[in-house]
Amino acid sequence: AEGISVVVVQDRGALAAALNGNLAYIPATTNPSRLVLVDTNASRGLRPVIDEQHPFVHPRFSPDGTRLVVWVREIASSELWVYDLGRNTRLRLTVGGGVTRPIWSRDGKTITFQKDLSLYSIPADDSGPPEILLARDSSGPLFPLAWSRDGRTLVYSRPPRETNRDVFVLPTGGPPTPFLVTPRDERSAMLSPDGRWMVYASLEAGREEEVYVQRYPGPGDRILVSTG
């Protein structure tokens, strides 16, 4: 069977086989969508970035708010596009396809993303090739989450099969360091502007997903800040 959806985190197909030979699976699809800006003044409504429709995923503003990077997720491959909102222009980054989860560096000069389940960065103006920041190992794929405001620490996720998603940090010039390694599923982590706190969402068995903050680099207990 062709066109079977793949669950990226577990690195396996979304399918099941019966003893009688029947195969049930979720088909891989690409749903075209519009990329629009929503003004905080509701009366201004929606403003399309472009009129074209594509399978847009994971749009992220540059630090100065003048550009957007978006992951265009096709069945056969994935690409990263950068939109200049002032000039109404689009730039396709030369990353070779098969990429996910773009985020900006704090100075807006580079974009960090996942490719081949490892972490890479590329100049945001496409002036140079991608450079690897951290290669995956046997524990599973790596997902970039956010850069610290000083640009010296990358927060990323690593989902080993034993403990769900965990949160790690990669200091500039230093080794990867675990921050949250628990049986819970911790995601969407980012550092506070002063770099002293980490905020993240956590999902654990028998409970609703909640948002917590915790001192960085620690020690300190997690503090619940959401309400259900």
Side-chain angles (χ1 to χ4, degrees), residues 11-89:
D11 197 22
R12 63 171 183 258
L15 55 88
L19 293 177
N20 64 2
N22 288 335
L23 180 69
Y25 65 91
I26 298 175
T29 60
T30 56
N31 297 317
S33 57
R34 297 177 64 209
L35 195 61
V36 300
L37 301 178
V38 184
D39 198 288
T40 52
N41 184 342
S43 64
R44 298 178 183 175
L46 305 178
R47 178 165 65 93
V49 177
I50 59 169
D51 294 328
E52 301 173 5
Q53 293 191 27
H54 297 280
F56 294 118
V57 185
H58 200 81
R60 291 293 183 270
F61 276 110
S62 60
D64 63 5
T66 63
R67 292 169 293 167
L68 279 172
V69 63
V70 64
W71 163 25
V72 184
R73 184 172 59 185
E74 302 284 359
I75 293 177
S77 65
S78 298
E79 298 178 337
L80 301 182
W81 295 356
V82 176
Y83 287 92
D84 188 309
L85 301 178
R87 297 185 176 92
N88 292 321
T89 57

Side-chain angles (χ1 to χ4, degrees), residues 2-222:
E2 296 181 354
I4 298 176
S5 179
V6 175
V7 183
V8 176
V9 173
Q10 285 83 25
D11 197 22
R12 63 171 183 258
L15 55 88
L19 293 177
N20 64 2
N22 288 335
L23 180 69
Y25 65 91
I26 298 175
T29 60
T30 56
N31 297 317
S33 57
R34 297 177 64 209
L35 195 61
V36 300
L37 301 178
V38 184
D39 198 288
T40 52
N41 184 342
S43 64
R44 298 178 183 175
L46 305 178
R47 178 165 65 93
V49 177
I50 59 169
D51 294 328
E52 301 173 5
Q53 293 191 27
H54 297 280
F56 294 118
V57 185
H58 200 81
R60 291 293 183 270
F61 276 110
S62 60
D64 63 5
T66 63
R67 292 169 293 167
L68 279 172
V69 63
V70 64
W71 163 25
V72 184
R73 184 172 59 185
E74 302 284 359
I75 293 177
S77 65
S78 298
E79 298 178 337
L80 301 182
W81 295 356
V82 176
Y83 287 92
D84 188 309
L85 301 178
R87 297 185 176 92
N88 292 321
T89 57
R90 182 184 76 188
L91 173 68
R92 180 182 280 112
L93 297 180
T94 311
V95 291
V99 296
T100 66
R101 311 292 180 87
I103 62 171
W104 292 87
S105 62
R106 294 308 303 177
D107 60 9
K109 294 181 179 179
T110 61
I111 292 169
T112 301
F113 57 95
Q114 185 207 79
K115 177 179 171 63
D116 300 328
L117 307 183
S118 300
L119 300 180
Y120 286 79
S121 276
I122 188 173
D125 61 0
D126 204 35
S127 60
E131 295 184 359
I132 191 165
L133 297 178
L134 184 64
R136 66 164 296 192
D137 56 27
S138 59
S139 63
L142 310 176
F143 297 93
L145 298 178
W147 282 96
S148 61
R149 177 162 288 191
D150 62 9
R152 299 176 61 183
T153 304
L154 174 63
V155 183
Y156 69 96
S157 173
R158 195 181 75 179
R161 299 179 187 274
E162 303 81 27
T163 58
N164 294 306
R165 275 176 282 200
D166 297 324
V167 177
F168 283 69
V169 295
L170 180 65
T172 300
T177 304
F179 178 72
L180 293 170
V181 179
T182 76
R184 298 183 289 268
D185 185 351
E186 289 114 352
R187 65 185 83 183
S188 303
M190 62 183 68
L191 284 165
S192 60
D194 63 7
R196 298 174 58 191
W197 295 88
M198 187 81 77
V199 62
Y200 60 93
S202 179
L203 181 64
E204 52 192 293
R207 299 187 62 177
E208 293 185 54
E209 186 172 25
E210 299 282 11
V211 178
Y212 297 87
V213 295
Q214 194 165 326
R215 283 201 174 273
Y216 177 81
D221 296 331
R222 63 178 186 162

